[in-house]
Structures are given as C-alpha cells and as structure tokens.
C-alpha cells in the first residue's frame, strides 16, 4: 500500500524487554522522524534521519536506538523498555518540502 | 531556540459558530508554520502550511490561518464549525526539517 505504515499498531511489553517499532514509507522521502505523544506534552521528537545511514537525536532520545539501512524503513528500538516509555509513537516522513506525513501510530504499553 | 505555544488546552464551541485557535511561536528567522489535526485514535493530518508569500493561507476542510510576523502568531480560523471538526489541533514550527509542535488544543463541538 502506498503511504506510511507502522507496525505493530498495539504492543504490550514488560519492563526490561527489547522492543522494535517498525516504520515503512513508499514515497522514497529522504527524511524520516520518530515522535512520541504523551498527554500534556504534545509530540516530542525522538530521532530523525536525513537519509539512509544518517540519523540524529531529537528532544528525547534517551533509551531509544534507531537505524536506517534503507531509505524506506526507519525502525525504532527500545533496548530495555521502562514504564516511562509507555506512549503513542508516531513515525513521519518528509520529501522535498518540509511537510511531514504521519503514520497511524503505535500504542505501546510497558508493564 | 524554537518554541510553540498554544495557550488554550481546551475550547468548546457550538456547531455553526466561528472558531479561532491561537498559536504563538518563537523562532530566529522566518519559520515554516503548520497546522495539523488529529482525530481520536488517528495520526496527524495536515490542514495547512505557510512557507512564504501571502500571509493568509487556505487549507482543507474550510480552515484558514493568518501569519502575523509582528505578533509571532499563526492563528487558525474557521467561519462555521461542524460537529466533525471535534479533534485535537496542533500548531508546528520549523526552519529546516524537524518540526517543533505545540501541546495541542482539544476542540469540543456542542449541538
């Protein structure tokens, strides 16, 4: 399907476990982003990538790892999940202008 | 540093009434400005954007916004609200690729 997809849409995991959230876009956009959305905080940037193999930290990167070996994929890994990482995670991509296109989100619960 | 302030956390309007959502930003140069809407359980959808030129921009779903450099504002307006407009609205500012989002305004529409 064309567009930007995220998987899984819902995930429950335990404290200390590693979990990876997937993001895939079909537009060949060079830029991709990961945000987390929490009540009272709006959206906060975790990491972003300008191209394959180029990533940079955002506002709240601690506890997260990203990679981008292919232009279309931008996985986000929580190496050892904590309860404070319970959130809704949004992936976005951006092409030649600054408009960002958002995926449907992944709701992650860490117990 | 970039920042975005949406002073109103919640706004309630009657169906058919006019709407104005406020957004103030702090940015060192001429920013790129965006308004996004998020329906419950959904991702973010772009309503409109301002890059340069005419300071009154038209968007989808009958929304418009006016860029006022002297007031560092980019307020969103709609002349007549429909029940389907009930959602969360986010203002965002950027100068390159990463966007800085406000904390959002939740719109409730009453009959």
């Amino acid at each position: 399907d064309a567009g930007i997809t995220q998987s899984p849409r819902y995930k429950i995991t335990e404290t200390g476990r590693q979990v990876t959230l997937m993001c895939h876009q079909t537009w060949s956009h060079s830029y991709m982003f990961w945000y987390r959305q929490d009540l009272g905080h709006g959206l906060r940037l975790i990491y972003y990538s300008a191209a394959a193999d180029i990533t940079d930290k955002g506002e709240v990167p601690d506890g997260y790892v990203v990679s981008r070996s292919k232009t279309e994929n931008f996985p986000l890994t929580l190496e050892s999940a904590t309860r404070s990482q319970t959130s809704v995670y949004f992936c976005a991509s951006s092409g030649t202008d600054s408009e960002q296109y958002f995926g449907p989100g992944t709701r992650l619960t860490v117990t | 540093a970039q920042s975005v302030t949406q002073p109103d956390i919640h706004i309630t309007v009657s169906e058919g009434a006019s709407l104005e959502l406020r957004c103030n930003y702090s940015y060192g140069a001429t920013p790129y400005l965006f308004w996004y809407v998020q329906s419950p359980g959904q991702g973010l959808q772009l309503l409109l954007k301002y890059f340069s030129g005419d300071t009154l921009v038209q968007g989808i779903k009958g929304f418009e916004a006016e860029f006022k450099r002297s007031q560092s504002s980019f307020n969103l307006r709609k002349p007549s609200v429909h029940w389907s407009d009930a959602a969360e609205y986010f203002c965002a500012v950027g100068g390159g690729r990463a966007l800085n989002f406000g904390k959002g305004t939740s719109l409730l529409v009453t009959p």
Side-chain angles (χ1 to χ4, degrees):
Chain A
D1 289 353
I4 182 165
T5 56
Q6 294 183 235
S7 62
R9 293 293 313 278
Y10 303 91
K11 177 74 176 178
I12 300 174
T13 191
E14 295 177 343
T15 301
R17 289 193 178 270
Q18 182 181 84
V19 60
T20 296
L21 310 184
M22 304 301 294
C23 179
H24 175 78
Q25 53 104 355
T26 61
W27 295 303
S28 299
H29 284 168
S30 56
Y31 279 80
M32 295 188 74
F33 308 84
W34 275 107
Y35 295 90
R36 60 177 290 173
Q37 184 177 31
D38 304 289
L39 198 63
H41 290 280
L43 278 85
R44 293 180 290 175
L45 183 65
I46 304 171
Y47 270 95
Y48 68 100
S49 168
D53 298 322
I54 301 174
T55 62
D56 208 348
K57 295 178 180 179
E59 180 185 354
V60 289
D62 293 342
Y64 303 95
V65 175
V66 294
S67 62
R68 194 165 177 207
S69 57
K70 293 184 177 181
T71 300
E72 61 267 29
N73 297 324
F74 191 39
L76 176 74
T77 298
L78 290 66
E79 293 192 303
S80 179
T82 65
R83 289 196 181 90
S84 65
Q85 293 177 309
T86 292
S87 186
V88 180
Y89 291 84
F90 287 99
C91 179
S93 69
S94 175
T96 54
D97 61 20
S98 291
E99 178 179 344
Q100 293 188 16
Y101 297 83
F102 284 80
T106 295
R107 184 173 296 274
L108 175 68
T109 301
V110 183
T111 62
Chain B
Q2 301 178 30
S3 68
V4 180
T5 302
Q6 293 181 245
D8 304 304
I9 299 173
H10 301 283
I11 282 188
T12 300
V13 299
S14 300
E15 190 168 16
S18 63
L19 170 70
E20 183 170 31
L21 302 182
R22 296 182 291 163
C23 174
N24 294 99
Y25 67 89
S26 174
Y27 193 74
T30 300
Y32 295 165
L33 294 159
F34 304 81
W35 275 100
Y36 283 86
V37 61
Q38 184 183 31
S39 297
Q42 303 296 314
L44 278 74
Q45 180 184 22
L46 181 71
L47 285 176
L48 47 79
K49 60 188 177 186
Y50 173 78
F51 289 171
S52 65
D54 192 347
T55 57
L56 184 63
V57 293
Q58 302 297 319
I60 62 171
K61 304 184 180 185
F63 285 92
E64 66 178 26
E66 186 171 13
F67 171 56
K68 292 186 177 180
R69 185 189 303 275
S70 62
Q71 298 178 18
S72 297
S73 69
F74 189 56
N75 294 349
L76 182 71
R77 301 193 293 249
K78 186 169 184 177
S80 178
V81 170
H82 188 263
W83 64 265
S84 61
D85 293 324
E88 188 89 13
Y89 291 80
F90 293 94
C91 181
V93 61
R97 291 294 178 166
L99 296 181
N100 198 331
F101 284 83
K103 294 183 179 181
T105 297
S106 179
L107 175 64
L108 177 65
V109 180
T110 59

